[in-house]
Amino acid sequence: MRRFVNEKSRNLVNRLVSSSPLSSSHAFQPCASSISSQSRVLSNTSPTPDPSSSSDSMAGSDYSSTPVNIQSINPKVLKCEYAVRGEIVNLAQKLQEELHSNPGSHPFDEIIYCNIGNPQSLGQQPITFFREVLALCDHPSILDKSETQGLFSADSIERAFQILDQIPGRATGAYSHSQGIKGLRDAIASGIEARDGFPANPNDLFLTDGASPAVHMMMQLLISSENDGILCPIPQYPLYSASIALHGGTLVPYYLDEATGWGLETTELKKQLETARSKGVNVRALVVINPGNPTGQVLAEANQKEIVEFCKKERLVLLADEVYQENVYVPDKQFHSFKKVSRSMGYGENDISLVSFQSVSKGFYGECGKRGGYMEVTGFSPEIREQIYKVASVNLCSNISGQILASLVMSPPKVGDESYESFCAEKDAILSSLASRAKTLEKAFNSMEGVSCNRAEGAMYLFPQIHLPKKAIKAAEAVKTAPDAFYARCLLNATGVVVVPGSGFGQVNGTWHFRCTILPQEDKIPDIVARLTEFHKRFMDQYHD
Amino acid sequence: MRRFVNEKSRNLVNRLVSSSPLSSSHAFQPCASSISSQSRVLSNTSPTPDPSSSSDSMAGSDYSSTPVNIQSINPKVLKCEYAVRGEIVNLAQKLQEELHSNPGSHPFDEIIYCNIGNPQSLGQQPITFFREVLALCDHPSILDKSETQGLFSADSIERAFQILDQIPGRATGAYSHSQGIKGLRDAIASGIEARDGFPANPNDLFLTDGASPAVHMMMQLLISSENDGILCPIPQYPLYSASIALHGGTLVPYYLDEATGWGLETTELKKQLETARSKGVNVRALVVINPGNPTGQVLAEANQKEIVEFCKKERLVLLADEVYQENVYVPDKQFHSFKKVSRSMGYGENDISLVSFQSVSKGFYGECGKRGGYMEVTGFSPEIREQIYKVASVNLCSNISGQILASLVMSPPKVGDESYESFCAEKDAILSSLASRAKTLEKAFNSMEGVSCNRAEGAMYLFPQIHLPKKAIKAAEAVKTAPDAFYARCLLNATGVVVVPGSGFGQVNGTWHFRCTILPQEDKIPDIVARLTEFHKRFMDQYHD
């Protein structure tokens, strides 16, 4: 595979060099900047080192006497794709190394990673209260020292004591209950109740290392073979396609309607469900991402009710990715959890099977590196939940810091707490800045020739459509790459901005998009807008039909 | 399944009540203490709550209109078993709740969890230096405050600065590289080099949330169908059987020889390999756990060389579980990594495919709750490693605190560092106490009638064999439970000590064992020994043939 990729890449470069009309200087050449260095990059994009450069002196390139080769591994692994950390990121990492070792080697000073929802990597600061509590729980022996009072807020000290009291033996270094520490689940359940106005049961919660392992767990439970289908939005966050591929199931696509702001139509759901069923696919579940990733829309409550009704009628598990529940940027939209919506319709535990995923990585907290999250599992019989518990037990438990953080996210400081005001100030500053950045980037994209971008209602992304000239599409075809990947690569080489081609998320055939996060810090946005705009203009000028 | 389990349990209790010769008082009745409360327990052993007691007022027990039932889930999930957190632990949790709500309700004051290698849950204190660094990395804004100097050691502050410098943007809350932060991998590679005397490449390291996800990743790569087999020791740590079951492969057992101290004979490996191959199984890998879990033996270097030779000759991937590498308690044995052994034989990167698993959960650190660990992947071609990288990328990265801790474990304080002496004192105290506890328990087991226990050379467990009287076996059969599970349940009911029946790990047919950790704190060991001894005597008296 790697050989194949590299050959493809070399072809790409060769063809670019021989057939493209681009000049050899940096300026005005969005697509071929430093071809020679790109050639080096592309022949070395593998995340693993070239064995010949290994520190192991016995290494070489001949693996013929080792037992594993590409034909002998699990084909499900081969089939799995994950564009968010794919080839474009490898190229970006290489360019970054070149900038470091050879400043001025590219027409930009730094790489700006807009490929992934990773706020703190772009300078977002963690919420102070959360980090205070985590630090105190990591090193509880300082809790009763006088210096600690000077370093930490009073309520963080109090909260750390409370949390430690909930942990058997105060042992933050022990495996917990497989579902997570009971006291922390109690706090999360209270937070869910406060959010929804409906009861939540701590025994319905499974704390996990981020939301991804929770999604895998549900896919593992539901997928027995390729005969089992999962309805997924297109465009989708590729965790879903990857997880379905790894578990050997069938992704049943339903298309979000770009023309109506990435609308989710139940007629489309029904059509795709029937098509899949007519092919003998046993459709098990419906994935809904709300707010949308990569599409950024926030579902209206009426729409959510239709979806709940659809799942109930069609006997589908509703897998609700609600990790962006705090990320809503428009006054006319509001987040409603699917649990709240279904309970408000009168549907209870025995009526609808619903799993809600939440994470500490998103929201205003953005604590991706802490790997905290949970799923709330409702509407499954005790015997099924025993199976979920068993699978959770095999991995023992999720990391305790992530568990603590999940509880903090769902039970932040309250009025009267010492940290309350500073917490609110930090939270509001982050969320209002995200809203403003989303708006600025949305406007910028919509002002570009041949680009249309739906409103950024929520989440952390924009997913503009680029109406590429035929000449650009031909140029991409000539180098055997998808037109949007070609565009993204040209953008990276010209500006240092990393975006993910729409083909990594799925899109209507013949349309081209990319996903760009709204996460660069506010002071960088004007420069990024300028770079994007300038690049796009030149790209369009170059490939004008 | 749950219904079945409960019926079985009720039968067990009914039969115990109607047919057992046990009296109804606590004293002298190892097996039937508080039958009535046990009956309650057994009808409610599910980790999930009885729906009727759910806080959701709409809950009930009729799930007939929900889409998922036990017949419709992935049969691989059903097949998977994980005894370490199985039924006996559910019973223990219930007894604990009863002790809490009704002190004196059982003939013991507390439950002692010897079922799982979870040192800090039994009172082991974390290593101070490690926790200092973790706390500082969690809340870096205190690093340059004057109070911090009074609270933290100078070298922990220095180390935290060093680590932060290695993290892009000092962002401990950001997703890292999918394999883990490069600077931390550098530190781990140096630690491996110092341990082995052979080079280690940071690009060979994949940091994971404990060792378990790393094992899953390799099983996922190697297993395409039930036609793919993995050679596993019997007895084995049930992560392996669970992971093979979840990925749909075939466990090819090889038996450790109890008579020679759980010896690993290559003749046995060869025999089992040939048997499996004759049945058409494509055997892909050999799992070796060294030091052994649950068996506690430490392999001799000469034996390891035979194993390496065997894997090379038979073209098997060697999956080396080396998480107990610091846990060796006898002067005549030493830990040697399989990488060191294979390199010392002259086998390099192109000669043998070897994966070594390491964890922050074991050793003298015992940081189970931090979920840190790594695998060192050598002898795989770049194209295969690209696939491993891709699978790692789907889950983004492991938790950063766990990554930091993995680096600390492999690069602890050095001579001259402020913490060096206290670090060594903490480490030595823990390891020498573990050695002494292992010896005491080993002696205690060997002094019991009909019990034989191999030497505790390493790891955290003893795996004594119990030669049960026929009458005990019949009593177990009468309640439709395995004799060792019957023994373990009686032990728990009489003493509060939780052990895992040997049947959860696998054992030679007709032999019965249990796994007991050596982890209760030293001041509790005499009491535990007394309780075990007294229980065993009464059990044997009761069931004497």
Side-chain angles (χ1 to χ4, degrees):
Chain A
M1 285 302 276
R2 187 196 180 214
R3 212 160 295 154
F4 174 69
V5 168
N6 288 348
E7 273 165 21
K8 227 171 52 174
S9 307
R10 280 193 212 99
N11 285 342
L12 187 156
V13 175
N14 290 340
R15 284 168 200 234
L16 268 178
V17 173
S18 59
S19 69
S20 109
L22 300 174
S23 77
S24 65
S25 82
H26 283 153
F28 299 93
Q29 49 147 324
C31 222
S33 66
S34 67
I35 291 281
S36 61
S37 80
Q38 191 178 25
S39 173
R40 276 203 314 281
V41 167
L42 291 171
S43 61
N44 197 16
T45 53
S46 165
T48 53
D50 191 301
S52 60
S53 68
S54 162
S55 59
D56 187 327
S57 59
M58 281 170 274
S61 61
D62 177 13
Y63 283 84
S64 57
S65 71
T66 60
V68 183
N69 60 48
I70 211 79
Q71 285 79 37
S72 72
I73 67 167
N74 182 356
K76 291 174 198 144
V77 168
L78 275 181
K79 199 179 163 191
C80 158
E81 283 178 18
Y82 190 67
V84 173
R85 289 208 161 180
E87 210 181 323
I88 194 114
V89 179
N90 294 333
L91 173 58
Q93 283 167 352
K94 268 295 164 189
L95 296 183
Q96 188 164 29
E97 282 165 28
E98 288 171 11
L99 281 175
H100 187 254
S101 57
N102 188 11
S105 57
H106 295 282
F108 43 83
D109 298 331
E110 61 173 338
I111 302 291
I112 298 173
Y113 288 96
C114 295
N115 58 302
I116 188 164
N118 195 6
Q120 295 190 28
S121 76
L122 293 174
Q124 183 175 308
Q125 291 307 299
I127 299 294
T128 306
F129 176 79
F130 292 170
R131 291 304 192 97
E132 286 180 319
V133 177
L134 287 184
L136 292 167
C137 290
D138 266 344
H139 194 38
S141 59
I142 64 171
L143 268 168
D144 48 12
K145 300 226 171 128
S146 59
E147 293 98 329
T148 304
Q149 317 262 344
L151 283 176
F152 294 84
S153 63
D155 54 337
S156 72
I157 295 173
E158 197 190 323
R159 185 70 77 97
F161 272 119
Q162 279 173 11
I163 288 172
L164 289 168
D165 285 345
Q166 290 162 343
I167 301 177
R170 302 181 142 224
T172 54
Y175 295 127
S176 73
H177 185 283
S178 305
Q179 289 183 241
I181 293 161
K182 175 64 165 54
L184 301 179
R185 284 186 278 134
D186 289 341
I188 295 171
S190 301
I192 295 172
E193 285 185 14
R195 179 194 71 193
D196 291 347
F198 289 94
N201 187 332
N203 294 315
D204 292 347
L205 300 173
F206 288 76
L207 272 61
T208 49
D209 293 310
S212 304
V215 170
H216 285 307
M217 241 191 274
M218 291 312 300
M219 294 300 175
Q220 186 160 47
L221 186 83
L222 294 171
I223 298 174
S224 305
S225 73
E226 61 184 352
N227 192 45
D228 289 315
I230 309 289
L231 269 161
C232 275
I234 297 294
Q236 51 107 29
Y237 173 48
L239 166 66
Y240 294 97
S241 50
S243 187
I244 293 167
L246 283 174
H247 292 98
T250 294
L251 188 152
V252 179
Y254 67 90
Y255 286 81
L256 301 173
D257 184 14
E258 188 165 8
T260 58
W262 299 113
L264 198 172
E265 301 293 337
T266 46
T267 48
E268 165 71 4
L269 291 178
K270 206 166 292 181
K271 190 183 90 182
Q272 299 292 355
L273 175 68
E274 277 163 19
T275 307
R277 282 182 176 160
S278 72
K279 291 177 185 161
V281 176
N282 179 17
V283 182
R284 310 295 315 270
L286 168 70
V287 173
V288 178
I289 311 174
N290 179 45
N293 176 4
T295 40
Q297 85 284 26
V298 177
L299 296 179
E301 197 176 352
N303 195 185
Q304 290 184 272
K305 286 184 177 172
E306 292 172 346
I307 294 164
V308 168
E309 210 61 86
F310 174 78
C311 287
K312 169 135 187 68
K313 181 168 171 247
E314 302 294 350
R315 295 177 63 85
L316 298 174
V317 176
L318 177 49
L319 300 174
D321 182 334
E322 300 182 325
V323 302
Y324 297 99
Q325 56 191 263
E326 301 269 10
N327 299 98
V328 179
Y329 309 122
V330 288
D332 57 326
K333 287 287 181 81
Q334 227 186 316
F335 170 78
H336 303 283
S337 79
F338 270 104
K339 173 134 167 281
K340 173 183 165 185
V341 170
S342 56
R343 294 294 177 268
S344 74
M345 296 165 75
Y347 291 138
E349 170 71 17
N350 297 148
D351 301 309
I352 176 134
S353 301
L354 168 63
V355 183
S356 165
F357 303 100
Q358 163 68 322
S359 167
V360 304
S361 304
K362 310 302 172 186
F364 55 91
Y365 17 94
E367 292 277 16
C368 302
K370 295 296 174 189
R371 311 310 289 125
Y374 69 81
M375 59 176 178
E376 187 187 13
V377 176
T378 54
F380 291 81
S381 69
E383 57 192 350
I384 298 298
R385 292 163 49 137
E386 199 167 306
Q387 298 296 321
I388 301 173
Y389 174 81
K390 183 176 67 180
V391 171
S393 293
V394 174
N395 283 331
L396 300 162
C397 68
S398 61
N399 84 86
I400 305 297
S401 295
Q403 293 189 26
I404 293 171
L405 195 47
S407 83
L408 296 175
V409 155
M410 298 305 284
S411 60
K414 288 180 182 55
V415 185
D417 294 346
E418 184 184 306
S419 297
Y420 180 71
E421 281 184 27
S422 61
F423 167 79
C424 291
E426 289 177 0
K427 171 182 170 174
D428 294 347
I430 290 169
L431 287 176
S432 66
S433 169
L434 283 173
S436 136
R437 289 177 253 169
K439 200 78 211 157
T440 305
L441 283 165
E442 177 198 313
K443 272 190 196 158
F445 286 130
N446 279 319
S447 69
M448 294 176 190
E449 180 196 353
V451 175
S452 59
C453 184
N454 273 326
R455 198 164 68 132
E457 297 178 342
M460 296 181 167
Y461 315 100
L462 292 163
F463 197 64
Q465 181 170 172
I466 27 174
H467 304 268
L468 293 171
K470 280 183 197 137
K471 209 163 143 192
I473 292 172
K474 276 196 180 157
E477 280 167 359
V479 294
K480 290 187 177 151
T481 192
D484 50 4
F486 179 77
Y487 182 90
R489 178 178 297 242
C490 292
L491 175 66
L492 172 57
N493 278 318
T495 66
V497 176
V498 192
V499 300
V500 186
S503 39
F505 305 90
Q507 54 201 347
V508 169
N509 269 342
T511 68
W512 307 108
H513 300 77
F514 59 88
R515 187 184 81 165
C516 179
T517 72
I518 58 170
L519 297 174
Q521 288 299 288
E522 211 158 340
D523 57 353
K524 295 210 166 160
I525 294 284
D527 176 51
I528 290 172
V529 166
R531 282 151 83 173
L532 290 172
T533 306
E534 192 193 353
F535 160 78
H536 186 78
K537 193 179 173 312
R538 287 174 180 165
F539 183 93
M540 295 301 271
D541 286 350
Q542 183 181 346
Y543 292 106
H544 217 281
D545 290 324
Chain B
M1 286 298 276
R2 186 197 182 214
R3 212 161 292 156
F4 174 70
V5 168
N6 288 348
E7 273 165 22
K8 227 172 48 174
S9 309
R10 279 191 213 100
N11 285 342
L12 187 156
V13 174
N14 290 341
R15 284 167 201 234
L16 267 178
V17 172
S18 60
S19 69
S20 109
L22 302 173
S23 78
S24 64
S25 82
H26 282 154
F28 298 96
Q29 49 145 329
C31 221
S33 67
S34 68
I35 292 281
S36 62
S37 80
Q38 190 179 24
S39 172
R40 278 202 316 280
V41 167
L42 291 172
S43 62
N44 198 16
T45 52
S46 165
T48 51
D50 191 302
S52 60
S53 69
S54 162
S55 60
D56 187 326
S57 60
M58 281 171 274
S61 60
D62 177 13
Y63 283 85
S64 57
S65 71
T66 59
V68 184
N69 61 47
I70 209 79
Q71 285 78 37
S72 72
I73 67 165
N74 182 356
K76 292 176 199 143
V77 168
L78 275 182
K79 199 179 162 192
C80 157
E81 283 179 17
Y82 190 67
V84 173
R85 291 210 159 178
E87 211 181 320
I88 195 114
V89 179
N90 295 334
L91 174 57
Q93 284 167 350
K94 267 293 161 190
L95 296 182
Q96 188 164 31
E97 282 165 27
E98 287 171 12
L99 281 175
H100 187 253
S101 58
N102 188 9
S105 56
H106 294 281
F108 43 83
D109 297 331
E110 61 173 338
I111 301 290
I112 298 174
Y113 288 96
C114 295
N115 59 301
I116 189 166
N118 195 6
Q120 295 190 28
S121 77
L122 293 174
Q124 182 175 309
Q125 292 306 300
I127 300 293
T128 306
F129 176 79
F130 293 171
R131 291 304 191 97
E132 286 180 320
V133 177
L134 288 183
L136 291 168
C137 290
D138 266 346
H139 194 37
S141 58
I142 64 170
L143 268 169
D144 48 12
K145 301 227 171 130
S146 59
E147 294 97 328
T148 304
Q149 316 264 343
L151 283 176
F152 293 84
S153 62
D155 54 336
S156 72
I157 295 173
E158 198 190 322
R159 185 70 78 98
F161 272 119
Q162 280 173 11
I163 288 172
L164 290 168
D165 284 344
Q166 290 161 345
I167 301 177
R170 305 181 139 223
T172 54
Y175 295 127
S176 72
H177 185 282
S178 304
Q179 290 183 238
I181 292 162
K182 175 62 167 55
L184 302 178
R185 284 187 278 133
D186 289 340
I188 295 171
S190 301
I192 295 173
E193 285 184 11
R195 182 193 70 193
D196 291 348
F198 288 94
N201 188 332
N203 294 316
D204 293 347
L205 301 173
F206 288 76
L207 273 61
T208 49
D209 292 312
S212 305
V215 170
H216 285 308
M217 240 190 271
M218 291 311 302
M219 294 299 176
Q220 187 159 49
L221 186 83
L222 294 172
I223 297 173
S224 304
S225 73
E226 60 184 352
N227 192 45
D228 290 315
I230 309 289
L231 269 161
C232 274
I234 297 296
Q236 53 106 26
Y237 173 49
L239 166 66
Y240 294 97
S241 50
S243 187
I244 293 168
L246 284 174
H247 291 100
T250 293
L251 187 151
V252 179
Y254 66 91
Y255 286 81
L256 301 173
D257 184 13
E258 188 165 9
T260 58
W262 299 112
L264 198 172
E265 301 293 337
T266 46
T267 48
E268 165 71 4
L269 291 179
K270 207 165 291 179
K271 191 183 90 180
Q272 299 291 356
L273 176 67
E274 277 163 20
T275 305
R277 282 183 176 160
S278 72
K279 290 175 185 161
V281 175
N282 178 18
V283 182
R284 309 295 314 269
L286 168 69
V287 172
V288 178
I289 311 174
N290 180 44
N293 177 3
T295 41
Q297 85 284 24
V298 177
L299 297 181
E301 199 177 350
N303 195 183
Q304 290 184 270
K305 286 184 177 172
E306 291 172 347
I307 295 164
V308 169
E309 210 60 84
F310 175 78
C311 286
K312 166 130 190 73
K313 180 168 173 246
E314 301 294 350
R315 295 176 65 84
L316 298 174
V317 176
L318 178 48
L319 300 173
D321 181 334
E322 301 183 324
V323 302
Y324 297 100
Q325 56 189 263
E326 301 268 10
N327 300 100
V328 179
Y329 308 122
V330 288
D332 57 326
K333 287 286 181 84
Q334 230 187 312
F335 171 78
H336 303 282
S337 79
F338 270 104
K339 173 135 168 280
K340 173 185 166 183
V341 170
S342 55
R343 294 294 178 267
S344 73
M345 295 166 75
Y347 292 139
E349 169 72 17
N350 298 148
D351 301 309
I352 177 135
S353 302
L354 168 63
V355 184
S356 166
F357 303 100
Q358 165 66 323
S359 167
V360 305
S361 304
K362 310 301 172 184
F364 56 91
Y365 17 93
E367 291 279 16
C368 302
K370 294 298 173 185
R371 312 309 289 121
Y374 68 81
M375 60 176 175
E376 187 187 11
V377 176
T378 53
F380 291 82
S381 68
E383 58 192 347
I384 298 298
R385 291 161 51 136
E386 199 168 304
Q387 297 297 319
I388 301 172
Y389 174 82
K390 184 177 68 181
V391 171
S393 293
V394 174
N395 283 331
L396 300 162
C397 68
S398 61
N399 82 87
I400 305 296
S401 296
Q403 292 189 24
I404 292 171
L405 195 47
S407 82
L408 296 174
V409 155
M410 299 305 284
S411 59
K414 288 179 183 56
V415 185
D417 293 347
E418 183 183 308
S419 296
Y420 180 72
E421 281 184 28
S422 62
F423 167 78
C424 290
E426 289 176 1
K427 171 182 171 175
D428 295 345
I430 290 169
L431 287 176
S432 65
S433 170
L434 284 173
S436 135
R437 289 178 253 169
K439 201 75 209 158
T440 305
L441 283 165
E442 178 197 313
K443 272 190 198 161
F445 286 130
N446 279 319
S447 70
M448 294 176 189
E449 180 196 351
V451 175
S452 58
C453 183
N454 273 325
R455 199 164 68 130
E457 297 178 341
M460 295 180 168
Y461 315 100
L462 291 164
F463 196 64
Q465 181 169 172
I466 27 174
H467 303 268
L468 293 171
K470 281 183 195 137
K471 208 163 144 190
I473 292 171
K474 276 196 178 157
E477 280 168 358
V479 294
K480 290 184 178 155
T481 190
D484 51 3
F486 179 76
Y487 181 90
R489 177 178 297 240
C490 291
L491 175 66
L492 171 57
N493 278 319
T495 66
V497 177
V498 192
V499 299
V500 186
S503 39
F505 305 89
Q507 53 201 348
V508 169
N509 267 344
T511 68
W512 308 108
H513 301 76
F514 59 87
R515 187 183 81 165
C516 179
T517 72
I518 58 169
L519 297 174
Q521 288 299 288
E522 211 158 339
D523 58 351
K524 295 208 167 161
I525 294 285
D527 175 52
I528 290 172
V529 166
R531 281 151 83 173
L532 290 172
T533 306
E534 192 192 352
F535 160 78
H536 185 76
K537 192 178 174 318
R538 286 172 181 166
F539 184 92
M540 295 302 270
D541 287 349
Q542 184 181 348
Y543 292 107
H544 217 282
D545 289 325

